[in-house]
Amino acid sequence: MTRFQKLAAATVVTAILLVTIGVIVRATGSGLGCPDWPLCHGQIVPPFDDAKAWIEWVHRTVAVIIGFEVIGLAALALLDHRDRRVLVAASIAAVLLVGFQAWLGKETVRLGNSGESVTAHLAAAMTLVGLLVWILARSLYPARLPAGGASQRFTLVAAFGAGSVFALLLFGSNVTATSQWYVFPDWPLMNGTLLPALTDANSAHVLHRWIAIVVGLIVAAVFVAAWRTRPRTRPIVRLAAIAAILFPIQAVVGGLQVLTGLSGWSQTLHLALGAVIWSLLVALVAVAYLEARTAAIVDATGAAGSRDGIEDGAVGGAERRTRGDSVRAYIALTKPRIIELLLVTTVPAMVLATRQVPGIQLGHWAWLTVWTLLGGTLAAGSANAINCYLDRDIDLLMVRTRRRPLPAHEVDPERAVIFGLVLGAIAFGVLAFFVNLLAAFLGLLAIAFYVVVYTILLKRSTPQNIVIGGAAGALPPVIGWVAVTGNIGVPALLLFALVFYWTPPHFWALSLRIRKDYAAAGVPMLPVVRGVPETTRQIGLYTILMVAISLVLFAVARMGPIYLAAAVILGALFLRQAWQLWRRGASEDQSTAGAIRLYRYSISYLTLLFAAIAIDALAMTAVG
């Protein structure tokens, strides 16, 4: 190993050690053992008889050591790897992040170890660990990576696994910070059940356990995907296997926290294992990405091809374009029209949950709306950009999509996938910091569901792709509800169901129009596999379910006459057009014309119905 690699490895270990010591500080109540900063009781070395002060002092000392290590890492990057821009940039970013982490530590002391500051401190620490792991992994691979390379599909799966674990770590910190760890004395059940009623007193604890189950399944799925990846490399399988083995162990230790009354050893071991799992998954993402980039390019004779490498960040395959052209191409990757339709459902859900509307002055509620919409926009843009990367081969075969940035060679594929992942990370940060952790996790779940479940697993394998995959597009109203309540209520679930059952009629109407495109691309959309008559029948059946749910919402959410009138009239018009399309299903020409009308109307239906939800909620509040 080079001296840079040795120092990078040592810094990763020290960072994980720092996180572990931080848990000891918290478990022993030593966070304010040194009430001032950067000194301790006004001294460089604390009093010898103050154990809590010494624990906090050790934590701060290790943080200082990491600071020097990271500065040394940046210096070595400039001295030994000046030609490797990615290592230099990442090392400098680590220096800045260490400085930010130190400032957060100071603020945590100033705020008396408040729950929000402690969680933010942990988030920054885990981000630093992840960055250091990436630096180490990148230093182990050649400076110049081949252009293109193999598919990054598994990299995306691993990235969502890592992101889920990161979110779970923050949820756990939030549970301890809100002192909800003791609300249920049993484990793995909660007062003898897996589904207790959510209240303000237990919601953080319940959601943490539920999300832990979901994340555990995701980590297991990452291992299965690693095992099935071709070519299957030993580092990828080993990293995924170790993470999958450690996760249930960490979950059991988490249960022991409850059973032992949040003992110091269980807290420390629980978060230490979490930090190790996070590090393993970040390493898995890095190795998967770099292995795909360095995949051998074999020519027809079976010998390695002679393809010139490019430095990280260089454009490969895209012709020279102006900066404005590039900006427009990246914006196009996010599919702004689809984002607009998704956000239409977010604000009305927030209004329904609070029976309020943002005022002229930008107060807290209005800013919450702004951050929720921004986070939702970034999350949707992330999912769409990654979808463009994964579907670039079939987009080239379809008339409707061949002018998108990737098939048109306006954006390099590798940059597109990185752009999508960065948008997703920013979306999670915006929602977690400015809204709440549950909204952030739901945003991450929506991205993962659209990319992994719909695009990778279902789209090219089953005609039911849009039925199941539609769950991703149905989450924005739930995110809006959660943003203002912190919980998932029954009305939020009905809003989810409403959009979920709206999606098949909406999308199948579009697919009737462009079924020849899907046939040419080999995508088994319902009109291609089952034909026009069956598709129109399914549109009719799903429309009936959708309208029924809209009427159930009236009763459950205690809506008023404005919403009832809108649901009845708009639903009747939808049913009429769906019935006409069903009746004409045998005639392909008439079905195409009717499908276009229904597709356009479905957009108006969703927009007007959710507008009616907001107006009705405000009107009922005014009357009441």
Side-chain angles (χ1 to χ4, degrees), residues 448-619:
F449 205 92
Y450 185 72
V451 171
V452 179
V453 177
Y454 171 65
T455 306
I456 294 179
L457 298 178
L458 299 178
K459 185 171 183 178
R460 308 188 193 199
S461 61
T462 172
Q464 295 300 310
N465 45 25
I466 196 61
V467 177
I468 304 171
L475 280 172
V478 183
I479 294 173
W481 183 281
V482 166
V484 293
T485 65
N487 292 315
I488 300 176
V490 175
L493 295 177
L494 285 173
L495 293 174
F496 172 89
L498 180 60
V499 180
F500 181 82
Y501 283 104
W502 167 87
T503 303
H506 166 75
F507 198 86
W508 282 335
L510 173 64
S511 65
L512 280 171
R513 179 185 180 185
I514 58 173
R515 58 189 179 274
K516 293 181 180 178
D517 265 3
Y518 285 123
V523 179
M525 286 297 175
L526 194 63
V528 176
V529 177
R530 302 287 179 82
V532 174
E534 177 61 18
T535 303
T536 57
R537 187 179 78 88
Q538 291 292 331
I539 287 175
L541 294 176
Y542 273 92
T543 300
I544 293 171
L545 288 171
M546 178 195 69
V547 173
I549 290 171
S550 71
L551 296 177
V552 171
L553 178 65
F554 165 76
V556 173
R558 299 179 181 179
M559 307 297 292
I562 296 176
Y563 171 77
L564 180 61
V568 170
I569 295 172
L570 293 172
L573 292 174
F574 207 128
L575 286 168
R576 180 174 178 271
Q577 292 204 36
W579 165 250
Q580 291 176 343
L581 185 64
W582 187 353
R583 189 180 60 183
R584 299 168 183 169
S587 172
E588 294 196 6
D589 291 338
Q590 291 185 356
S591 294
T592 300
I596 295 172
R597 288 193 296 271
L598 180 61
Y599 171 74
R600 292 172 178 168
Y601 175 74
S602 67
I603 298 174
S604 301
Y605 171 85
L606 192 70
T607 303
L608 293 174
L609 186 67
F610 271 81
I613 289 174
I615 294 170
D616 184 273
L618 295 174

Side-chain angles (χ1 to χ4, degrees), residues 14 58 103 105 134-135 237 301 303 307-308 359 383 393 418 427 600 622:
T14 311
V58 170
W103 176 81
W134 159 255
I135 291 172
V237 174
T301 64
R307 189 172 178 177
D308 293 334
D393 55 336
I418 292 173
R600 292 172 178 168

